[in-house]
Amino acid sequence: MKYKYRMKIIFVDEEGERFIEVLDKMSWNIYGFYEREFEGLDVRDNSQGRKYVLKRMHLIRSGAYDGCGEGI
C-alpha cells in the first residue's frame, strides 16, 4: 500500500529553522516538527512520514515548499 502525504512549511523562525507540517492522508493525522527534528526522529516515530520528508529535504532547503500555496 502506498502512503500519501501532503507537506507544508508553516513558518520560518528567526534562526531560519523551518517548521514542517505533514498530513497523512491515510489516517488524517497531522505531524508538525522542525526540520532538524525530522532528521532526529526515531524509526518507530511515524517512519513513513519521516521517510517522505527526508526524501524531499533537498526540495525543502531549496524553497520548493515555502509559500507555494500547496499543502494542508
Side-chain angles (χ1 to χ4, degrees):
M1 175 184 274
K2 183 177 178 182
Y3 288 89
K4 298 196 179 211
Y5 297 94
R6 286 190 110 178
M7 187 166 67
K8 185 177 182 182
I9 304 294
I10 301 301
F11 62 86
V12 179
D13 66 7
E14 60 276 351
E15 297 172 1
E17 186 75 23
R18 292 175 179 89
F19 187 80
I20 304 166
E21 200 169 79
V22 178
L23 169 67
D24 180 351
K25 289 184 173 182
M26 300 295 285
S27 66
W28 293 102
N29 288 329
I30 297 175
Y31 304 97
F33 295 100
Y34 280 99
E35 182 178 358
R36 186 176 339 137
E37 292 175 323
F38 269 109
E39 294 171 354
L41 279 178
D42 194 0
V43 176
R44 296 175 302 223
D45 301 327
N46 188 22
S47 62
Q48 294 297 324
R50 178 181 178 268
K51 283 169 107 175
Y52 176 81
V53 171
L54 292 179
K55 243 173 54 172
R56 283 154 179 79
M57 198 59 81
H58 64 285
L59 294 172
I60 293 169
R61 289 189 182 114
S62 68
Y65 287 95
D66 291 339
C68 64
E70 292 289 321
I72 301 170

Coordinates of all heavy atoms in Angstrom, one line a residue:
M1 N 0.8 -1.2 0.0 CA 0.0 0.0 0.0 C 0.9 1.2 0.0 O 1.8 1.4 0.8 CB -0.9 0.0 1.2 CG -1.7 1.2 1.4 SD -2.6 1.3 2.9 CE -4.1 0.4 2.4
K2 N 0.6 2.2 -0.9 CA 1.4 3.4 -1.0 C 0.8 4.4 0.0 O -0.4 4.7 0.1 CB 1.3 3.9 -2.4 CG 2.1 5.1 -2.6 CD 2.1 5.6 -4.1 CE 2.9 6.8 -4.2 NZ 2.8 7.3 -5.6
Y3 N 1.8 5.0 0.7 CA 1.4 6.1 1.7 C 1.3 7.4 0.9 O 2.1 7.7 0.0 CB 2.4 6.2 2.8 CG 2.3 5.0 3.8 CD1 3.0 3.9 3.6 CD2 1.5 5.1 4.9 CE1 2.9 2.8 4.5 CE2 1.3 4.1 5.8 CZ 2.1 2.9 5.6 OH 2.0 1.9 6.4
K4 N 0.4 8.2 1.3 CA 0.2 9.6 0.7 C 0.3 10.6 1.7 O -0.3 10.5 2.8 CB -1.1 9.6 -0.1 CG -1.1 8.6 -1.2 CD -2.2 8.9 -2.2 CE -2.2 7.9 -3.2 NZ -2.6 8.3 -4.5
Y5 N 1.1 11.7 1.4 CA 1.2 12.8 2.4 C 1.1 14.1 1.6 O 1.3 14.2 0.4 CB 2.6 12.7 3.0 CG 2.8 11.4 3.8 CD1 3.4 10.3 3.3 CD2 2.4 11.4 5.2 CE1 3.6 9.2 4.0 CE2 2.6 10.3 5.9 CZ 3.2 9.2 5.3 OH 3.4 8.0 6.1
R6 N 0.8 15.1 2.4 CA 0.9 16.5 1.9 C 1.8 17.2 2.9 O 1.7 17.0 4.1 CB -0.5 17.1 1.9 CG -1.3 16.6 0.7 CD -2.5 17.4 0.6 NE -2.4 18.2 -0.6 CZ -3.3 19.0 -1.1 NH1 -4.4 19.2 -0.4 NH2 -3.1 19.6 -2.2
M7 N 2.6 18.1 2.4 CA 3.5 18.8 3.2 C 3.5 20.3 3.0 O 3.2 20.7 1.9 CB 4.9 18.3 2.8 CG 6.0 18.8 3.7 SD 7.5 17.9 3.5 CE 8.0 18.4 1.9
K8 N 3.7 21.0 4.1 CA 3.6 22.5 4.0 C 4.6 23.0 5.1 O 4.7 22.5 6.2 CB 2.2 22.9 4.3 CG 2.0 24.4 4.2 CD 0.6 24.8 4.4 CE 0.3 26.2 4.2 NZ -1.1 26.6 4.5
I9 N 5.3 24.1 4.7 CA 6.1 24.9 5.6 C 5.2 25.9 6.3 O 4.7 26.8 5.6 CB 7.3 25.6 4.9 CG1 8.1 24.6 4.1 CG2 8.1 26.4 5.9 CD1 8.9 23.6 4.9
I10 N 5.0 25.8 7.6 CA 4.1 26.7 8.3 C 4.8 28.0 8.5 O 4.2 29.1 8.2 CB 3.7 26.0 9.6 CG1 3.0 24.7 9.3 CG2 2.8 27.0 10.4 CD1 1.8 24.8 8.5
F11 N 6.0 28.0 9.0 CA 6.7 29.3 9.2 C 8.2 29.0 9.3 O 8.6 27.9 9.5 CB 6.2 30.0 10.5 CG 6.5 29.2 11.8 CD1 7.7 29.3 12.5 CD2 5.5 28.4 12.3 CE1 7.9 28.6 13.6 CE2 5.7 27.7 13.5 CZ 6.9 27.8 14.1
V12 N 9.0 30.1 9.2 CA 10.4 30.0 9.4 C 10.7 30.9 10.6 O 10.4 32.1 10.5 CB 11.2 30.5 8.1 CG1 12.7 30.4 8.3 CG2 10.8 29.6 6.9
D13 N 11.4 30.4 11.6 CA 11.6 31.2 12.8 C 12.8 32.1 12.6 O 13.4 32.2 11.5 CB 11.8 30.3 14.0 CG 13.1 29.4 14.0 OD1 13.9 29.6 13.0 OD2 13.2 28.6 14.9
E14 N 13.1 32.9 13.6 CA 14.2 33.9 13.5 C 15.6 33.4 13.2 O 16.4 34.1 12.8 CB 14.2 34.8 14.7 CG 14.4 34.1 16.0 CD 13.2 33.5 16.7 OE1 12.1 33.7 16.2 OE2 13.4 32.7 17.6
E15 N 15.7 32.1 13.5 CA 17.0 31.4 13.3 C 17.1 30.8 11.9 O 18.1 30.1 11.6 CB 17.3 30.4 14.4 CG 17.4 31.0 15.8 CD 17.5 29.9 16.9 OE1 17.5 28.7 16.5 OE2 17.5 30.3 18.0
G16 N 16.0 30.9 11.1 CA 16.0 30.3 9.8 C 15.6 28.8 9.8 O 15.6 28.2 8.8
E17 N 15.1 28.3 10.9 CA 14.7 26.9 11.0 C 13.2 26.8 10.6 O 12.4 27.6 11.0 CB 14.8 26.4 12.5 CG 14.5 25.0 12.7 CD 15.6 24.1 12.2 OE1 16.8 24.5 12.1 OE2 15.3 22.9 11.9
R18 N 12.9 25.9 9.7 CA 11.6 25.7 9.1 C 10.8 24.8 10.0 O 11.2 23.7 10.4 CB 11.6 25.2 7.7 CG 12.2 26.1 6.7 CD 12.4 25.4 5.4 NE 12.9 26.3 4.4 CZ 14.2 26.4 4.1 NH1 15.1 25.8 4.8 NH2 14.6 27.3 3.2
F19 N 9.5 25.1 10.2 CA 8.5 24.3 10.9 C 7.7 23.6 9.8 O 7.0 24.2 9.0 CB 7.6 25.0 11.8 CG 6.7 24.1 12.6 CD1 7.3 23.5 13.8 CD2 5.4 23.9 12.3 CE1 6.5 22.7 14.5 CE2 4.6 23.1 13.0 CZ 5.1 22.5 14.2
I20 N 7.8 22.2 9.7 CA 7.2 21.5 8.6 C 6.0 20.7 9.2 O 6.1 20.1 10.2 CB 8.2 20.5 8.0 CG1 9.4 21.2 7.5 CG2 7.5 19.6 6.9 CD1 10.6 20.3 7.2
E21 N 4.9 20.8 8.5 CA 3.7 20.1 8.8 C 3.3 19.1 7.7 O 3.3 19.5 6.6 CB 2.5 21.1 9.0 CG 1.4 20.6 9.8 CD 0.4 21.7 10.2 OE1 -0.4 22.0 9.3 OE2 0.5 22.2 11.3
V22 N 3.1 17.9 8.1 CA 2.8 16.8 7.2 C 1.5 16.2 7.5 O 1.2 15.8 8.7 CB 3.9 15.7 7.2 CG1 3.6 14.6 6.3 CG2 5.3 16.3 6.9
L23 N 0.6 16.1 6.5 CA -0.7 15.5 6.7 C -0.6 14.0 6.1 O -0.2 13.9 4.9 CB -1.8 16.2 5.9 CG -3.1 15.6 5.8 CD1 -3.8 15.4 7.1 CD2 -4.0 16.4 4.8
D24 N -0.9 13.1 6.9 CA -1.0 11.7 6.5 C -2.4 11.5 5.9 O -3.4 11.5 6.7 CB -0.7 10.7 7.7 CG -0.8 9.3 7.3 OD1 -1.2 8.9 6.2 OD2 -0.4 8.5 8.2
K25 N -2.5 11.3 4.6 CA -3.9 11.1 4.0 C -4.5 9.8 4.3 O -5.8 9.7 4.1 CB -3.7 11.3 2.5 CG -3.4 12.7 2.1 CD -3.4 12.7 0.6 CE -3.2 14.1 0.0 NZ -3.3 14.1 -1.4
M26 N -3.8 8.9 4.8 CA -4.4 7.6 5.2 C -5.2 7.7 6.5 O -6.3 7.2 6.7 CB -3.4 6.5 5.2 CG -2.6 6.3 3.9 SD -3.7 5.7 2.6 CE -3.9 4.0 3.1
S27 N -4.5 8.3 7.5 CA -5.1 8.3 8.9 C -5.6 9.7 9.2 O -6.2 9.9 10.3 CB -4.1 7.9 9.9 OG -3.0 8.8 9.9
W28 N -5.3 10.7 8.4 CA -5.7 12.1 8.6 C -5.0 12.7 9.8 O -5.6 13.6 10.5 CB -7.2 12.3 8.6 CG -7.8 12.1 7.3 CD1 -8.4 10.9 6.8 CD2 -7.7 12.9 6.1 NE1 -8.8 11.0 5.5 CE2 -8.3 12.2 5.0 CE3 -7.2 14.2 5.9 CZ2 -8.4 12.8 3.8 CZ3 -7.3 14.7 4.6 CH2 -7.9 14.0 3.6
N29 N -3.9 12.2 10.2 CA -3.1 12.7 11.3 C -2.2 13.8 10.7 O -1.7 13.7 9.6 CB -2.3 11.6 12.0 CG -3.1 10.7 12.8 OD1 -4.1 11.1 13.3 ND2 -2.7 9.5 12.9
I30 N -2.0 14.8 11.5 CA -1.0 15.9 11.1 C 0.2 15.8 12.1 O 0.0 15.8 13.3 CB -1.7 17.3 11.2 CG1 -2.9 17.3 10.2 CG2 -0.7 18.4 10.9 CD1 -3.7 18.6 10.3
Y31 N 1.3 15.8 11.5 CA 2.6 15.8 12.2 C 3.3 17.1 12.0 O 3.5 17.5 10.8 CB 3.5 14.6 11.8 CG 2.8 13.3 11.9 CD1 2.2 12.7 10.8 CD2 2.7 12.6 13.1 CE1 1.5 11.5 10.9 CE2 2.1 11.4 13.2 CZ 1.5 10.8 12.1 OH 0.9 9.6 12.2
G32 N 3.7 17.8 13.0 CA 4.4 19.0 12.9 C 5.7 19.0 13.6 O 5.8 18.7 14.8
F33 N 6.8 19.2 13.0 CA 8.1 19.2 13.6 C 9.0 20.3 12.9 O 8.8 20.6 11.7 CB 8.9 17.9 13.4 CG 8.2 16.7 14.1 CD1 7.4 15.9 13.4 CD2 8.4 16.5 15.4 CE1 6.8 14.8 14.0 CE2 7.8 15.5 16.1 CZ 7.0 14.6 15.4
Y34 N 10.0 20.7 13.6 CA 11.1 21.5 12.9 C 11.9 20.6 12.0 O 12.0 19.4 12.2 CB 12.0 22.2 14.0 CG 11.3 23.4 14.6 CD1 10.7 23.4 15.8 CD2 11.4 24.6 13.9 CE1 10.1 24.5 16.4 CE2 10.8 25.8 14.4 CZ 10.2 25.7 15.7 OH 9.6 26.8 16.2
E35 N 12.5 21.2 11.0 CA 13.3 20.5 10.1 C 14.4 19.6 10.7 O 14.6 18.4 10.4 CB 14.0 21.5 9.1 CG 14.8 20.9 8.1 CD 15.4 22.1 7.2 OE1 15.2 23.2 7.4 OE2 16.2 21.7 6.3
R36 N 15.0 20.1 11.7 CA 16.1 19.4 12.5 C 15.5 18.2 13.2 O 16.1 17.1 13.3 CB 16.8 20.3 13.4 CG 17.9 19.7 14.2 CD 18.6 20.7 15.0 NE 18.4 22.1 14.7 CZ 18.1 23.1 15.6 NH1 18.1 22.8 16.9 NH2 17.9 24.3 15.2
E37 N 14.3 18.3 13.7 CA 13.6 17.3 14.5 C 13.3 16.1 13.6 O 13.3 14.9 14.0 CB 12.4 17.8 15.2 CG 12.7 18.7 16.3 CD 11.4 19.3 16.9 OE1 10.5 19.6 16.2 OE2 11.4 19.5 18.1
F38 N 12.9 16.3 12.3 CA 12.6 15.2 11.4 C 13.8 14.4 11.2 O 13.7 13.2 11.1 CB 12.1 15.8 10.0 CG 10.6 15.9 10.0 CD1 10.0 17.2 9.9 CD2 9.8 14.8 9.9 CE1 8.7 17.3 9.9 CE2 8.4 14.9 9.8 CZ 7.9 16.2 9.8
E39 N 15.0 15.0 11.1 CA 16.2 14.2 10.9 C 16.5 13.4 12.1 O 17.1 12.3 12.0 CB 17.4 15.2 10.6 CG 17.2 15.9 9.3 CD 18.2 17.0 9.1 OE1 19.0 17.3 10.0 OE2 18.2 17.5 8.0
G40 N 16.1 13.8 13.3 CA 16.4 13.1 14.6 C 15.4 12.2 15.0 O 15.5 11.5 16.0
L41 N 14.2 12.0 14.3 CA 13.2 11.1 14.7 C 13.6 9.7 14.7 O 14.4 9.3 13.8 CB 12.0 11.3 13.8 CG 11.0 12.4 14.0 CD1 9.9 12.4 12.9 CD2 10.4 12.4 15.4
D42 N 13.2 8.9 15.6 CA 13.4 7.5 15.7 C 12.6 6.8 14.6 O 11.6 7.3 14.2 CB 13.1 7.0 17.1 CG 13.6 5.6 17.3 OD1 14.3 5.1 16.5 OD2 13.4 5.1 18.4
V43 N 13.0 5.7 14.2 CA 12.4 4.9 13.2 C 10.9 4.6 13.6 O 10.0 4.5 12.8 CB 13.1 3.6 12.8 CG1 12.4 2.8 11.8 CG2 14.5 4.0 12.3
R44 N 10.7 4.3 14.9 CA 9.4 4.0 15.3 C 8.4 5.2 15.3 O 7.2 5.0 15.2 CB 9.4 3.5 16.8 CG 10.2 2.3 17.0 CD 10.3 2.0 18.4 NE 11.0 3.2 19.1 CZ 11.9 3.1 20.0 NH1 12.3 1.9 20.4 NH2 12.4 4.2 20.5
D45 N 8.9 6.4 15.2 CA 8.1 7.6 15.2 C 7.6 7.9 13.8 O 8.3 8.7 13.1 CB 8.8 8.8 15.8 CG 9.2 8.5 17.3 OD1 8.5 7.8 17.9 OD2 10.2 9.0 17.7
N46 N 6.5 7.4 13.3 CA 6.0 7.6 12.0 C 7.1 7.5 10.9 O 7.4 8.5 10.3 CB 5.4 9.0 12.0 CG 4.6 9.3 10.7 OD1 4.2 8.3 10.0 ND2 4.4 10.5 10.4
S47 N 7.6 6.4 10.8 CA 8.7 6.1 9.9 C 8.4 6.5 8.4 O 9.2 7.0 7.7 CB 9.2 4.7 10.0 OG 8.2 3.8 9.6
Q48 N 7.1 6.3 8.0 CA 6.8 6.6 6.6 C 6.8 8.1 6.3 O 7.3 8.6 5.3 CB 5.4 6.0 6.2 CG 5.4 4.5 6.2 CD 6.4 3.9 5.1 OE1 6.5 4.4 4.1 NE2 7.0 2.8 5.5
G49 N 6.2 8.8 7.3 CA 6.2 10.3 7.2 C 7.6 10.8 7.2 O 7.9 11.8 6.5
R50 N 8.4 10.3 8.1 CA 9.8 10.7 8.2 C 10.6 10.5 6.9 O 11.3 11.3 6.4 CB 10.5 9.9 9.4 CG 11.9 10.2 9.6 CD 12.5 9.3 10.7 NE 13.9 9.6 10.9 CZ 14.8 8.9 10.3 NH1 14.5 7.9 9.5 NH2 16.1 9.1 10.5
K51 N 10.4 9.3 6.3 CA 11.0 9.0 5.0 C 10.6 9.9 4.0 O 11.4 10.4 3.1 CB 10.7 7.5 4.6 CG 11.4 6.5 5.3 CD 10.8 5.1 5.0 CE 11.7 4.3 4.1 NZ 11.1 3.0 3.9
Y52 N 9.3 10.3 3.9 CA 8.8 11.2 2.9 C 9.5 12.6 3.1 O 9.9 13.1 2.1 CB 7.3 11.4 3.1 CG 6.6 12.4 2.2 CD1 6.3 12.0 0.9 CD2 6.3 13.7 2.7 CE1 5.7 13.0 0.1 CE2 5.7 14.6 1.9 CZ 5.4 14.2 0.6 OH 4.8 15.1 -0.2
V53 N 9.5 13.1 4.3 CA 10.1 14.4 4.5 C 11.6 14.4 4.2 O 12.2 15.2 3.5 CB 9.9 14.9 5.9 CG1 10.7 16.2 6.2 CG2 8.4 15.2 6.1
L54 N 12.3 13.3 4.7 CA 13.8 13.3 4.4 C 14.1 13.1 3.0 O 15.1 13.6 2.5 CB 14.4 12.1 5.2 CG 14.4 12.3 6.8 CD1 15.0 11.1 7.5 CD2 15.1 13.6 7.1
K55 N 13.2 12.4 2.2 CA 13.5 12.2 0.8 C 13.3 13.6 0.1 O 14.0 13.8 -0.9 CB 12.4 11.3 0.2 CG 13.0 10.0 -0.4 CD 12.0 9.0 -0.8 CE 10.9 9.5 -1.7 NZ 10.1 8.4 -2.2
R56 N 12.5 14.4 0.6 CA 12.3 15.7 -0.1 C 13.1 16.9 0.6 O 12.8 18.0 0.3 CB 10.8 16.0 -0.1 CG 10.1 15.2 -1.2 CD 8.7 14.9 -0.9 NE 8.1 14.2 -1.9 CZ 8.3 12.9 -2.1 NH1 9.0 12.2 -1.2 NH2 7.7 12.2 -3.1
M57 N 14.0 16.6 1.5 CA 14.7 17.6 2.2 C 15.5 18.5 1.3 O 15.6 19.7 1.5 CB 15.7 17.0 3.2 CG 16.1 17.9 4.3 SD 14.8 18.6 5.3 CE 14.5 17.3 6.4
H58 N 16.0 18.0 0.1 CA 16.7 18.9 -0.8 C 15.7 19.9 -1.4 O 16.1 21.0 -1.7 CB 17.4 18.0 -1.9 CG 16.4 17.3 -2.8 ND1 15.8 16.1 -2.3 CD2 16.0 17.5 -4.0 CE1 15.1 15.6 -3.3 NE2 15.1 16.4 -4.3
L59 N 14.4 19.5 -1.6 CA 13.4 20.4 -2.1 C 13.0 21.5 -1.1 O 12.8 22.6 -1.4 CB 12.2 19.7 -2.6 CG 12.4 18.8 -3.8 CD1 11.1 18.0 -4.1 CD2 12.7 19.6 -5.1
I60 N 13.0 21.0 0.2 CA 12.7 21.9 1.3 C 13.7 23.0 1.4 O 13.4 24.2 1.5 CB 12.5 21.1 2.6 CG1 11.3 20.2 2.5 CG2 12.4 22.0 3.8 CD1 11.2 19.2 3.6
R61 N 15.0 22.6 1.4 CA 16.1 23.5 1.5 C 16.2 24.5 0.4 O 16.6 25.6 0.5 CB 17.4 22.7 1.7 CG 17.5 22.1 3.0 CD 18.8 21.5 3.3 NE 18.8 20.8 4.6 CZ 19.0 19.5 4.8 NH1 19.2 18.7 3.7 NH2 18.9 19.0 5.9
S62 N 15.8 24.1 -0.8 CA 15.8 25.0 -2.0 C 14.6 25.9 -2.0 O 14.5 26.8 -2.8 CB 15.9 24.2 -3.3 OG 14.7 23.5 -3.5
G63 N 13.6 25.7 -1.1 CA 12.4 26.6 -1.0 C 11.3 26.1 -1.8 O 10.3 26.9 -2.0
A64 N 11.2 24.9 -2.3 CA 10.1 24.4 -3.1 C 8.8 24.4 -2.4 O 7.7 24.6 -3.0 CB 10.4 23.0 -3.7
Y65 N 8.8 24.2 -1.1 CA 7.6 24.1 -0.3 C 7.3 25.4 0.5 O 6.3 25.5 1.1 CB 7.7 23.0 0.7 CG 7.6 21.6 0.1 CD1 8.7 20.9 -0.3 CD2 6.3 21.0 -0.2 CE1 8.6 19.6 -0.9 CE2 6.2 19.8 -0.8 CZ 7.4 19.1 -1.1 OH 7.3 17.9 -1.7
D66 N 8.1 26.4 0.4 CA 7.9 27.7 1.1 C 7.0 28.5 0.3 O 7.3 29.0 -0.8 CB 9.2 28.4 1.3 CG 10.2 27.7 2.2 OD1 9.6 26.9 3.0 OD2 11.4 27.9 2.2
G67 N 5.8 28.8 0.9 CA 4.9 29.8 0.3 C 4.3 29.4 -1.0 O 4.0 30.2 -1.8
C68 N 4.3 28.1 -1.3 CA 3.8 27.7 -2.7 C 2.3 27.6 -2.8 O 1.7 27.4 -3.8 CB 4.4 26.4 -3.1 SG 4.0 25.0 -2.0
G69 N 1.6 27.8 -1.6 CA 0.1 27.7 -1.6 C -0.4 26.3 -1.6 O -1.6 26.1 -1.4
E70 N 0.4 25.3 -1.8 CA 0.0 23.9 -1.7 C 0.2 23.4 -0.3 O 1.0 24.0 0.5 CB 0.9 23.0 -2.7 CG 0.7 23.3 -4.1 CD -0.7 22.8 -4.6 OE1 -1.1 21.7 -4.1 OE2 -1.3 23.5 -5.4
G71 N -0.4 22.3 0.0 CA -0.2 21.7 1.3 C -1.5 21.5 2.0 O -2.6 21.3 1.4
I72 N -1.5 21.5 3.3 CA -2.6 21.2 4.1 C -3.7 22.2 4.1 O -3.5 23.4 4.1 CB -2.1 20.9 5.6 CG1 -1.1 19.8 5.5 CG2 -3.3 20.5 6.5 CD1 -0.3 19.6 6.8

